[in-house]
């Protein structure tokens, strides 16, 4: 082989751009809160383009919108951001943190172009929550008793002004959840099947779901793996594979193709080390 041949073989490797990455922060945080993660990714994957989504015109609006702007509107806002970014035109990997995980999944499902290529959900409420943070219904009866009351307020009015109410998942009455929830029930194809959602999810190269084993923010914590309470009650949990969501969202196809990855981390909500992120997310799933 002469020099030119070698050069021609090596050249595409040098200039093959790594897949860009889009980050969506969690509740109470803002786009700049992910600067550290962004830097770590940029250091580990030279030349990668990383965009941390800012929902609003500045970090303050961004933080407030995490509480006050309906996720349907947040996703539409994010869709405009990624459509107008030429660096993302050929697709991207999406990484969400906490509630940003289900919002970025919504982006992948609803915003077909540019195409999301991989989804990484870190501590996401993918099946919503039926419980108040730090109030464990298994240990404290009061925590169980207030849940139906929260359902009432969440679906009656809170959803229109409080983001967190839009992923309240009434475990006692599936019909109520499917009909009255204004965000997550739609995203999870509860009332009817939106084929666009199925198609966009099935186009993913991978879906990585990270669960924190001692999470007391997400109730039940299995929601981070798309698990949830078995219908009609609020204690016994079923897995994604046992749930109707598995087929209704078309995740069974991803599963059979080996594209679903379930990771668990000891620790509380979003408590992971930089090294864990490098070893388990960047090196395995982003490179
Ligand atoms: C399905 O989702 C797509 C993308 O969000 C949307 O444009 C379409 O209107 C939805 N279909 C129905 C029947 O709601
Ligand atoms: C479940 O919710 C639906 C819709 O909100 C309601 O019509 C029905 O009465 C509820 N069922 C029970 C058993 O509470």
């Amino acid at each position: 082989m002469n020099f030119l041949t070698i050069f021609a073989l090596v050249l595409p490797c040098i200039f093959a751009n790594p897949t860009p990455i889009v980050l969506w922060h969690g509740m109470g945080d803002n786009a700049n809160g992910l600067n550290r993660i962004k830097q770590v990714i940029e250091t580990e994957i030279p030349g990668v383009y990383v965009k941390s989504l800012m929902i609003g015109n500045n970090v303050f609006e961004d933080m407030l919108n995490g509480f006050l702007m309906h996720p349907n509107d947040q996703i539409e806002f994010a869709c405009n951001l990624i459509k107008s970014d030429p660096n993302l035109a050929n697709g991207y990997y999406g990484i969400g943190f906490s509630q940003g995980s289900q919002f970025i999944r919504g982006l992948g499902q609803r915003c077909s172009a540019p195409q999301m290529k991989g989804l990484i959900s870190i501590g996401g409420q993918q099946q919503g929550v039926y419980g108040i943070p730090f109030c464990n219904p298994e240990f404290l009866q009061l925590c169980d008793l207030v849940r139906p009351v929260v359902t009432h307020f969440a679906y009656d009015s809170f959803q229109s002004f409080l983001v967190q109410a839009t992923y309240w998942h009434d475990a006692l009455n599936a019909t109520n959840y499917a009909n009255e929830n204004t965000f997550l029930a739609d995203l999870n194809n509860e009332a009817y099947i939106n084929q666009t959602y199925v198609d966009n999810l099935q186009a993913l190269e991978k879906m990585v779901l990270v669960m924190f084993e001692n999470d007391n923010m997400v109730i039940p914590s299995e929601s981070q793996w798309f698990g949830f309470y078995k219908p009609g009650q609020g204690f016994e949990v079923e897995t994604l594979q046992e749930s109707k969501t598995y087929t209704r969202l078309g995740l069974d196809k991803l599963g059979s193709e080996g594209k679903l990855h379930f990771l668990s981390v000891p620790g509380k909500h979003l408590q992971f080390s930089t090294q864990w992120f490098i070893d388990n997310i960047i090196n395995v799933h982003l490179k």
Side-chain angles (χ1 to χ4, degrees):
M1 261 193 279
N2 63 26
F3 173 77
L4 267 180
T5 318
I6 294 171
F7 193 66
L9 286 174
V10 168
L11 200 64
C13 305
I14 297 172
F15 290 102
N17 284 331
T19 303
I21 293 167
V22 175
L23 309 175
W24 196 321
H25 64 79
M27 176 179 88
D29 203 357
N30 63 65
N32 288 354
L34 295 175
N35 278 347
R36 164 130 187 80
I37 289 277
K38 183 172 185 282
Q39 279 161 12
V40 171
I41 298 171
E42 286 164 349
T43 307
E44 297 296 319
I45 312 174
V48 73
Y49 176 75
V50 184
K51 184 186 192 76
S52 182
L53 292 173
M54 185 187 282
I55 310 299
N57 296 314
N58 53 56
V59 288
F60 182 67
E61 277 185 27
D62 187 17
M63 186 273 288
L64 275 188
N65 285 336
F67 293 99
L68 303 177
M69 187 182 194
H70 196 284
N72 293 342
D73 299 326
Q74 293 196 48
I75 289 167
E76 205 179 312
F77 189 95
C79 184
N80 288 329
L81 287 182
I82 66 163
K83 274 188 192 303
S84 57
D85 188 336
N87 293 304
L88 301 172
N90 296 324
Y92 63 96
Y93 290 146
I95 309 181
F97 298 84
S98 196
Q99 70 179 16
S101 302
Q102 56 267 32
F103 300 166
I104 205 161
R105 174 164 63 85
L107 182 69
Q109 289 178 210
R110 290 179 181 168
C111 193
S112 303
Q115 171 71 46
M116 181 182 278
K117 293 179 166 182
L119 171 69
I120 297 175
S121 160
I122 301 189
Q125 293 87 352
Q126 298 293 356
Q127 275 287 20
V129 295
Y130 185 59
I132 298 157
F134 310 109
C135 195
N136 190 331
E138 282 182 48
F139 301 137
L140 200 60
Q141 205 198 0
L142 180 68
C143 296
D144 181 37
L145 292 175
V146 297
R147 294 194 286 182
V149 181
V150 176
T151 299
H152 177 74
F153 284 107
Y155 292 174
D156 232 35
S157 55
F158 278 43
Q159 286 182 111
S160 59
F161 59 82
L162 182 66
V163 166
Q164 288 67 38
T166 68
Y167 51 87
W168 184 262
H169 184 161
D170 182 0
L172 304 185
N173 183 340
T175 314
N176 195 34
Y177 169 56
N179 295 344
E180 303 299 326
N181 178 287
T182 56
F183 166 61
L184 196 64
D186 172 79
L187 204 65
N188 288 358
N189 280 349
E190 291 287 339
Y192 67 95
I193 291 180
N194 186 324
Q195 193 57 36
T196 306
Y197 293 174
V198 174
D199 294 344
N200 283 334
L201 288 174
Q202 292 188 339
L204 295 175
E205 292 164 13
K206 65 182 75 183
M207 181 186 286
V208 182
L209 301 166
V210 178
M211 173 167 77
F212 294 88
E213 286 161 23
N214 306 313
D215 201 309
N216 47 18
M217 288 278 290
V218 184
I219 297 174
S221 56
E222 289 84 352
S223 179
Q224 298 168 88
W225 276 3
F226 259 111
F228 198 68
Y229 296 119
K230 288 183 182 165
Q233 50 82 55
F235 291 97
E236 224 187 310
V237 170
E238 66 183 9
T239 64
L240 167 62
Q241 292 84 347
E242 291 163 343
S243 72
K244 64 183 173 108
T245 306
Y246 198 44
T247 46
R248 289 181 74 88
L249 272 185
L251 296 176
D252 50 342
K253 181 159 182 283
L254 287 185
S256 67
E257 291 167 351
K259 293 177 179 169
L260 284 182
H261 305 267
F262 299 88
L263 306 187
S264 76
V265 196
K268 298 202 166 130
H269 194 58
L270 296 191
Q271 281 185 355
F272 60 89
S273 67
T274 302
Q275 198 57 48
W276 177 87
F277 190 78
I278 293 173
D279 293 343
N280 296 281
I281 302 295
I282 297 181
N283 289 346
V284 182
H285 293 294
L286 300 179
K287 277 188 174 167

